[in-house]
Amino acid sequence: MQREVGSLPLAPALRARLAAAGFQTAQELLETGPCGLSKEIGISKEEALEALQVVRQECHGDAARTAGGSGTTRKFTALELLEEEQAQGFIITFCSALDNILGGGVQLTKITEVCGAPGVGKTQLWYFTPG
């Protein structure tokens, strides 16, 4: 979806600066990033970051309202990916030492390979791990 800059909930002065700099769509803003945007229109990096967060929220709200969308792939920041990964949860093994090594247990959305010498309990671990 190509949302026009003039339709975004930004301050009128900021929208005017964006238009004067040649920005037409929200996608163009998001591709520019905060550093490039601050240089292009002469605002601080913090102001540029705040503006881009508003644009990102608006675009994601639009995407949620149009179920299915246009088939474009959403880009994630590293922080968003980390937060999503941490929210998935763990299966605890009830072995505190192993849970500590695994960072809280076996992560639900990951593949965990257990290896070791014969007879150390690899199979027993999976027999008695809930889930």
Side-chain angles (χ1 to χ4, degrees):
M1 171 180 225
Q2 295 293 334
R3 180 136 179 210
E4 292 183 17
V5 171
S7 69
L8 295 169
L10 300 170
L14 181 57
R15 283 197 309 252
R17 282 181 160 187
L18 292 169
F23 290 102
Q24 296 178 348
T25 65
Q27 187 63 34
E28 292 173 351
L29 290 174
L30 295 173
E31 289 172 356
T32 302
C35 292
L37 187 60
S38 69
K39 289 177 186 175
E40 289 268 343
I41 63 173
I43 60 174
S44 71
K45 290 179 185 175
E46 291 78 17
E47 290 172 314
L49 184 59
E50 287 175 19
L52 289 174
Q53 287 172 342
V54 169
V55 172
R56 193 172 290 119
Q57 288 172 350
E58 284 295 310
C59 289
H60 294 325
D62 289 349
R65 286 187 288 273
T66 58
S70 61
T72 59
T73 307
R74 179 173 180 257
K75 296 178 183 176
F76 294 93
T77 65
L79 179 60
E80 289 171 331
L81 291 173
L82 177 63
E83 289 171 345
E84 182 179 320
E85 184 177 293
Q86 291 173 339
Q88 295 300 322
F90 299 92
I91 299 173
I92 58 172
T93 64
F94 296 102
C95 174
S96 59
L98 182 57
D99 286 339
N100 288 338
I101 289 170
L102 294 172
V106 179
Q107 196 165 8
L108 288 174
T109 59
K110 301 289 181 183
I111 296 173
T112 303
E113 181 177 0
V114 178
C115 59
V120 297
K122 300 178 296 293
T123 304
Q124 292 298 315
L125 171 68
W126 297 119
Y127 279 149
F128 294 105
T129 300

